[in-house]
Amino acid sequence: MIWHTQTIKELSEALQSKKVSAQELANYFLERISQSAQVNAFVDINAEQTLLQAKEADAQLAKGQATALTGIPVAHKDVFVTKHWKTTAGSKILSNYVSPFDAQVVAKLGPGQAGMVCLGKVNMDEFAMGSSNESSYAGPTQNPWDLSRVPGGSSGGSAAAVAAGLAPAATGTDTGGSIRQPASLCGITGIKPTYGRVSRYGMIAYASSLDQAGPMAKTAEDCAIMLNAMAGHDPKDSTSLDRATEDYTRLLGKTWTGEAGLPLKGLRVGLPKEYFGDGLSADVRLAVESAIDQFKKMGAECVPVSLPKTELSIPVYYVLAPAEASSNLSRFDGVRYGHRASQYTDLLDMYKRSRSEGFGSEVKRRIMIGAYVLSHGYYDAYYLKAQRIRRIIAQDFQNAFEKCDIIAGPVAPTVAGKLGEKVSDPTQMYLEDIYTLSPNLAGLPAMSAPCGFGADGMPVGIQLIGNYFSEAQLLQLAHAYQLETNWHQAQSPFAKKGGV
Ligand code: GLN
């Protein structure tokens, strides 16, 4: 039987009807992972623990106490701390780190709660800084659609694992696009929820006011099922929102108005003119515009909107995110955990050497930028100014949402580029984030869903941005689109290699 092409929904039905056991599924995916070294998606495996979790899931299934996720294998981004797997955040400084506890997301999805079976940890840009997964200490992950290309970043390992059929689903984190951009570049679906909806407890911090975790899977429906288990208030995270949870699957398959008729009748889709300007490549534009045409066929009305500060999102983000990172990363000093230099003269020298040896060049660059913009004399000119523009960016979205319900546009300006193409030019790399940064700056939910193929047959995703707490509506729209189209079902050449 071939299981890796199936969705969470399908696998769950197979588990409940005893067509397959959680242990069989775990073995099946572990076997595929062991034959996929060239993708470099997984950075740590612990088969014994995986099988233990699968056994527990089978016991739950046998007792009739299964959830929609019991026994479904999952890959966790290596930024979530785990007791039974190493947690490196893609960095040498944590290369041998094992956490004494599980992150809240890992605990909520795992045994005793949702019952998913962890297959291991997946690769990422170092401390989630990057848009190509090339800054990882474990080496770059490769795109399963074309192994000479990047999978996107920073959740590149998560996206590649799902697109290669090495896991039915994965967790990701998104500070400025890291769920949506790799999802788009690898042809899968992913959602970044409203800031504060999912707990950041045990998620290694990059830029705390922007970081948010979310699910990455084949379909919007699968993302909704996973988000149900991930979301919720967590007193252990002071930025977690004390707000009742909701059922993110409740609107799937329903029409926008809730009455009989075209599925998207009554939906106003806002198209920001700044998202369709010169920087957008023709192939991506074509794919995104045909998805918008499809929305119209399904009854949606399209309205022009404007997000005038889109261009400023890059300098604003690349001041604020490094500022927060420079502070967050000060805890990695060679004393409390992680790499410590083997030779040093005194304490200060030990800090210096441990950090110099432990961090990669992109992380060092951002620590320096962050320390600079926060320093006396520059704080007002950079940090404070960026915070002010951040506020305006958030307000611009509220103005747009007076005219529309959901904003649609591209995720990234181009399809996945070649490995190595942009590593030596950080500014070029930062420009890739033009369409994804603003929702994080505003704290809004946003997602990516496959909508076609661009140059060289590489996948393209459409970005959907909603107002605060509109995850269920975003997933409703993406699901309606996925019922009418089959882009999300296309298999990467790597996944097509069949069962094992
Ligand atoms: N590419 C962006 C950065 O490098 C976003 C990364 C992310 O969302 N974690 O910071």
Side-chain angles (χ1 to χ4, degrees):
M1 220 18 222
I2 291 180
W3 299 111
H4 65 273
T5 54
Q6 304 211 2
T7 61
I8 290 181
K9 182 82 201 240
E10 290 161 344
L11 291 173
S12 187
E13 278 158 16
L15 283 162
Q16 314 248 359
S17 61
K18 311 263 180 289
K19 284 200 190 76
V20 69
S21 71
Q23 290 169 86
E24 282 162 351
L25 275 187
N27 275 314
Y28 175 93
F29 282 101
L30 285 174
E31 178 63 24
R32 276 189 68 80
I33 294 165
S34 73
Q35 293 178 13
S36 308
Q38 66 270 52
V39 181
N40 199 25
F42 279 78
V43 290
D44 200 26
I45 293 289
N46 176 353
E48 200 182 322
Q49 182 61 30
T50 300
L51 294 172
L52 216 65
Q53 295 192 358
K55 205 168 162 191
E56 193 172 326
D58 280 331
Q60 292 298 111
L61 283 153
K63 279 192 262 174
Q65 291 172 349
T67 76
L69 290 167
T70 302
I72 306 287
V74 65
H76 288 302
K77 184 175 179 177
D78 205 20
V79 76
F80 296 100
V81 300
T82 40
K83 265 195 297 207
H84 302 290
W85 289 265
K86 277 190 269 191
T87 302
T88 72
S91 183
K92 180 181 174 185
I93 209 155
L94 287 177
S95 53
N96 282 314
Y97 179 66
V98 181
S99 164
F101 68 99
D102 280 332
Q104 180 76 350
V105 161
V106 172
K108 269 173 133 359
L109 289 173
Q113 298 199 49
M116 290 187 103
V117 173
C118 177
L119 290 169
K121 305 294 286 292
V122 282
N123 207 353
M124 57 181 281
D125 277 300
E126 186 175 5
F127 286 105
M129 297 174 187
S131 312
S132 69
N133 214 109
E134 292 169 291
S135 71
S136 171
Y137 176 59
T141 294
Q142 312 196 355
N143 192 314
W145 288 87
D146 173 350
L147 296 178
S148 70
R149 290 174 193 262
V150 301
S154 66
S155 314
S158 309
V162 175
L166 309 180
T171 51
T173 60
D174 192 311
T175 304
S178 282
I179 287 177
R180 291 159 284 157
Q181 190 253 21
S184 173
L185 270 41
C186 289
I188 67 159
T189 309
I191 182 163
K192 173 203 106 66
T194 304
Y195 179 78
R197 186 66 292 197
V198 175
S199 170
R200 292 188 299 110
Y201 181 73
M203 189 176 119
I204 295 176
Y206 162 16
S208 312
S209 77
L210 301 156
D211 297 341
Q212 185 60 202
M216 302 172 78
K218 292 190 181 74
T219 64
E221 183 174 40
D222 283 1
C223 287
I225 297 170
M226 259 177 93
L227 190 55
N228 274 351
M230 293 170 77
H233 179 233
D234 178 8
K236 296 192 291 302
D237 169 6
S238 61
T239 60
S240 161
L241 297 163
D242 192 359
R243 182 183 162 104
T245 51
E246 50 185 309
D247 178 5
Y248 294 107
T249 63
R250 74 183 189 279
L251 299 175
L252 304 183
K254 298 227 162 74
T255 61
W256 200 260
T257 54
E259 287 155 22
L262 285 173
L264 301 183
K265 188 165 179 289
L267 166 67
R268 297 164 306 161
V269 177
L271 305 176
K273 63 172 189 290
E274 296 79 6
Y275 276 44
F276 295 89
D278 284 346
L280 182 61
S281 67
D283 56 332
V284 174
R285 178 193 300 271
L286 197 68
V288 172
E289 285 179 348
S290 34
I292 290 162
D293 284 342
Q294 179 64 35
F295 292 167
K296 287 188 201 153
K297 272 192 215 136
M298 294 161 68
E301 177 202 348
C302 288
V303 293
V305 295
S306 177
L307 297 170
K309 297 282 182 289
T310 299
E311 234 171 44
L312 289 181
S313 66
I314 296 185
V316 166
Y317 173 91
Y318 281 100
V319 165
L320 297 179
E324 294 188 28
S326 74
S327 164
N328 274 326
L329 269 54
S330 62
R331 75 191 65 180
F332 302 104
D333 55 7
V335 176
R336 281 163 285 196
Y337 25 51
H339 174 78
R340 178 182 298 176
S342 52
Q343 287 184 338
Y344 45 86
T345 51
D346 55 16
L347 183 64
L348 200 62
D349 191 46
M350 194 269 283
Y351 289 157
K352 269 194 212 161
R353 284 178 195 263
S354 302
R355 285 167 68 85
S356 307
E357 291 168 11
F359 290 135
S361 55
E362 185 58 30
V363 173
K364 285 178 185 156
R365 180 177 299 125
R366 296 198 192 191
I367 290 173
M368 285 191 285
I369 295 172
Y372 180 80
V373 300
L374 288 174
S375 60
H376 184 72
Y378 294 105
Y379 181 89
D380 287 2
Y382 295 106
Y383 185 75
L384 211 59
K385 202 166 189 177
Q387 288 289 27
R388 291 202 174 113
I389 305 171
R390 178 179 190 176
R391 186 80 200 87
I392 299 172
I393 289 172
Q395 187 54 48
D396 284 347
F397 274 108
Q398 291 313 309
N399 297 343
F401 285 129
E402 296 203 341
K403 299 200 194 97
C404 66
D405 306 298
I406 285 176
I407 291 170
V411 175
T414 60
V415 296
K418 294 275 185 191
L419 285 154
E421 211 170 49
K422 289 188 180 142
V423 257
S424 53
D425 191 346
T427 326
Q428 272 310 107
M429 189 81 91
Y430 300 166
L431 292 175
E432 299 277 301
D433 303 336
I434 178 91
Y435 307 125
T436 50
L437 300 176
S438 315
N440 298 74
L441 290 166
L444 294 167
M447 68 179 295
S448 172
C451 72
F453 293 91
D456 305 312
M458 295 305 288
V460 177
I462 183 167
Q463 179 171 213
L464 306 172
I465 307 167
N467 213 338
Y468 302 108
F469 307 110
S470 66
E471 289 84 357
Q473 284 79 7
L474 290 175
L475 292 160
Q476 176 185 17
L477 167 56
H479 179 70
Y481 176 71
Q482 292 181 341
L483 288 176
E484 299 284 331
T485 58
N486 54 13
W487 303 116
H488 60 291
Q489 286 165 337
Q491 295 295 324
S492 72
F494 202 90
K496 274 195 195 138
K497 285 197 337 197
V500 282

